[in-house]
Amino acid sequence: MRNSPNRIVATVFGAVYLLVGLLGFAVTGGVSFIATEGGLLLGIFAVNPLHNIAHLLIGAALLVAGLMSARAAKTVNTIVGAAYLLLGIVGFFLAGTAANILALNTPDHFLHLASALVLLGVGLGAERGGRLATA
């Protein structure tokens, strides 16, 4: 794993997103499942239970891929990065509407865009010319 930027990033991001998903439940007591305004994680990022579950699923996918192989990590980094890029952009238009079922706020948008840059950068750029090891 030390020689694969994709595996390292997927494993680290996966662990962080799993932790964020779990911690999110500490601030969403009393918040409905798809509330458009949620509790504030770290006093900054809005979350609701659906948002927490999304973090858990994304974290699990990244962590499993990072532990499996460079090819799996590269694929999942790219897919999750693309999804976060889309969410980061679309999120600006969802905030303040009934369609904001993840209780997104402005700090969330910027965090999703930053995550997208890292995940896409590594997923599309790292290990391009080299052989992707399967173990």
Side-chain angles (χ1 to χ4, degrees):
M1 183 176 349
R2 279 176 271 160
N3 298 331
S4 171
N6 273 291
R7 290 185 75 184
I8 293 167
V9 168
T11 302
V12 170
F13 270 55
V16 168
Y17 273 101
L18 280 172
L19 181 62
V20 165
L22 291 172
L23 290 175
F25 285 108
V27 298
T28 55
V31 175
S32 75
F33 189 72
I34 57 170
T36 58
E37 293 186 20
L40 292 179
L41 184 61
L42 302 176
I44 301 170
F45 304 103
V47 292
N48 64 18
L50 179 60
H51 199 157
N52 297 333
I53 290 170
H55 284 149
L56 291 172
L57 293 173
I58 289 164
L62 286 164
L63 184 61
V64 168
L67 295 174
M68 282 180 53
S69 69
R71 184 177 308 279
K74 181 176 178 68
T75 300
V76 174
N77 285 344
T78 302
I79 291 169
V80 172
Y84 271 143
L85 179 61
L86 180 63
L87 182 61
I89 293 167
V90 171
F92 284 104
F93 300 100
L94 293 177
T97 72
N100 188 13
I101 63 170
L102 293 174
L104 301 169
N105 65 0
T106 302
D108 286 321
H109 310 322
F110 286 109
L111 183 61
H112 292 145
L113 290 171
S115 293
L117 287 174
V118 173
L119 290 167
L120 280 172
V122 172
L124 295 174
E127 298 164 297
R128 242 179 127 147
R131 194 183 104 224
L132 287 177
T134 57

